[in-house]
Amino acid sequence: MRIDAHQHFWHFDPIRDSWINDSMKVIQRDFSPEDLLSHLMSKKIDGSIAVQADESPQETQYLLELSNKHTWIKKVVGWVDLSAKDIEAQLERYQEEKNLAGFRKILQALPPSAMEEKSFLNGIRLLSKYQFTYDILIFPKHLKATIELVKKFPDQAFIVDHLAKPDIKNGEFESWAKDIKVLSSNPNLYCKVSGMVTEADWKGWKKEEFKPYLDHITNSFGTERLVYGSDWPVCLLAASYNDVFDLAWDYFETFSGDEKAGIFGENACKFYRINS
């Protein structure tokens, strides 16, 4: 099964979605499952994973409703307040949602020290009890704190989004590469091959710019812990859906059939517990 393991839907609200500023006019509009489906079909992708873009219970419910309506939305990565006093009761209730794979917090907007807060750590600690995954959304400055976080919870299924957003536009590599290598030593952590084009020059990126980063995550994680995602519609800031897919597909073209099947679907199915 071929899976796009990272995409979003929203009804655009200029107040709620203020992160989509005027430099991002191309995505200042609604994006629905109907908008995505033709792209999936063009690349013979069987399903997708809808990831939260807003930090609210309403966002999680919205995505779950879409996944119940559209069977090709295989799983949802929602949001829950991991620091809430009643977090365990919330997770217990969420267990009833068969399409809810796990959760994500927008850590990239917070200082690295946010990953050290006791209430947040308590929430992370409970996720594995209820078999929920956790998507890590960070910048390179968060990597050292992330290393410590992942190390604390060896039984938790973690996945880092967008290669941890290296500054591809300015060619920053060494520090990111060193920390990613250390982070990848945790076998409970996967990495999404996603979000690269928006970390490059939106209007002038070249395919060869991404090779050192792709080489490094492949050498660090191995093909069995890499997962493809488009980051649609955010990717539209810098590339079409087809361009994003082709960038990853072309890089892995010479890999074995089993390795490609893993990266473009089977690894996501394993990580997010997708059965069909």
Side-chain angles (χ1 to χ4, degrees):
M1 184 185 301
R2 193 176 288 183
I3 298 290
D4 177 346
H6 197 106
Q7 50 81 201
H8 310 281
F9 300 116
W10 59 67
H11 293 295
F12 179 66
D13 181 324
I15 297 174
R16 183 198 64 190
D17 303 321
S18 59
W19 64 274
I20 307 176
N21 58 41
D22 285 345
S23 71
M24 305 178 179
K25 285 188 180 296
V26 69
I27 61 171
Q28 283 184 335
R29 64 175 182 86
D30 297 352
F31 287 92
S32 69
E34 290 76 15
D35 295 319
L36 177 61
L37 185 56
S38 62
H39 297 304
L40 299 182
M41 292 176 67
S42 73
K43 294 300 181 183
K44 300 180 181 178
I45 295 174
D46 302 292
S48 73
I49 294 168
V51 180
Q52 63 82 223
D54 178 54
E55 293 190 312
S56 70
Q58 293 79 14
E59 172 83 343
T60 304
Q61 190 58 40
Y62 165 65
L63 295 178
L64 287 171
E65 288 171 2
L66 291 180
S67 72
N68 289 329
K69 181 179 178 182
H70 303 277
T71 58
W72 53 266
I73 303 174
K74 299 297 185 181
K75 291 286 182 176
V76 165
V77 175
W79 178 89
V80 70
D81 182 1
L82 290 167
S83 299
K85 291 182 179 179
D86 67 339
I87 183 60
E88 185 157 18
Q90 291 189 57
L91 294 177
E92 193 169 2
R93 289 195 299 272
Y94 271 131
Q95 267 197 312
E96 298 174 9
E97 299 286 354
K98 62 182 178 62
N99 290 345
L100 184 60
F103 300 96
R104 183 174 83 155
K105 182 181 177 70
I106 302 179
L107 288 168
Q108 67 176 23
L110 301 172
S113 59
M115 282 183 268
E116 301 168 6
E117 293 178 1
K118 288 183 179 180
S119 56
F120 173 72
L121 293 173
N122 179 61
I124 293 290
R125 178 181 61 82
L126 289 167
L127 291 179
S128 60
K129 178 179 178 179
Y130 294 95
Q131 296 188 320
F132 287 121
T133 62
Y134 186 75
D135 270 56
I136 303 173
L137 179 64
I138 54 169
F139 287 121
K141 68 180 182 180
H142 297 89
L143 278 168
K144 287 183 171 58
T146 303
I147 290 166
E148 296 306 312
L149 174 69
V150 175
K151 195 186 304 181
K152 285 184 177 81
F153 302 101
D155 296 326
Q156 174 60 41
F158 289 105
I159 189 163
V160 64
D161 293 346
H162 314 327
L163 286 66
K165 293 195 165 186
D167 187 357
I168 298 170
K169 181 178 179 180
N170 293 307
E172 294 186 10
F173 182 83
E174 295 301 332
S175 178
W176 167 85
K178 180 180 178 181
D179 288 340
I180 280 287
K181 186 66 177 177
V182 175
L183 182 61
S184 71
S185 66
N186 295 281
N188 56 317
L189 177 79
Y190 283 53
C191 180
K192 284 188 182 177
V193 183
S194 61
M196 295 185 297
V197 292
T198 45
E199 300 310 312
D201 183 340
W202 292 358
K203 302 300 182 185
W205 60 264
K206 296 178 175 61
K207 188 164 68 170
E208 56 267 23
E209 294 176 71
F210 303 105
K211 187 177 185 301
Y213 300 91
L214 288 166
D215 285 346
H216 189 67
I217 61 162
T218 304
N219 291 333
S220 297
F221 285 91
T223 55
E224 68 279 359
R225 287 189 289 142
L226 293 181
V227 174
Y228 168 74
S230 68
D231 198 27
W232 178 94
V234 180
C235 68
L236 300 179
L237 295 168
S240 69
Y241 190 96
N242 284 355
D243 286 341
V244 169
F245 179 87
D246 291 345
L247 180 65
W249 187 262
D250 291 349
Y251 176 81
F252 292 107
E253 185 175 15
T254 60
F255 286 61
S256 73
D258 287 346
E259 288 173 317
K260 286 186 286 190
I263 294 164
F264 288 91
E266 290 177 8
N267 296 345
C269 290
K270 179 180 178 182
F271 183 83
Y272 286 115
R273 299 172 184 264
I274 298 170
N275 297 317
S276 61

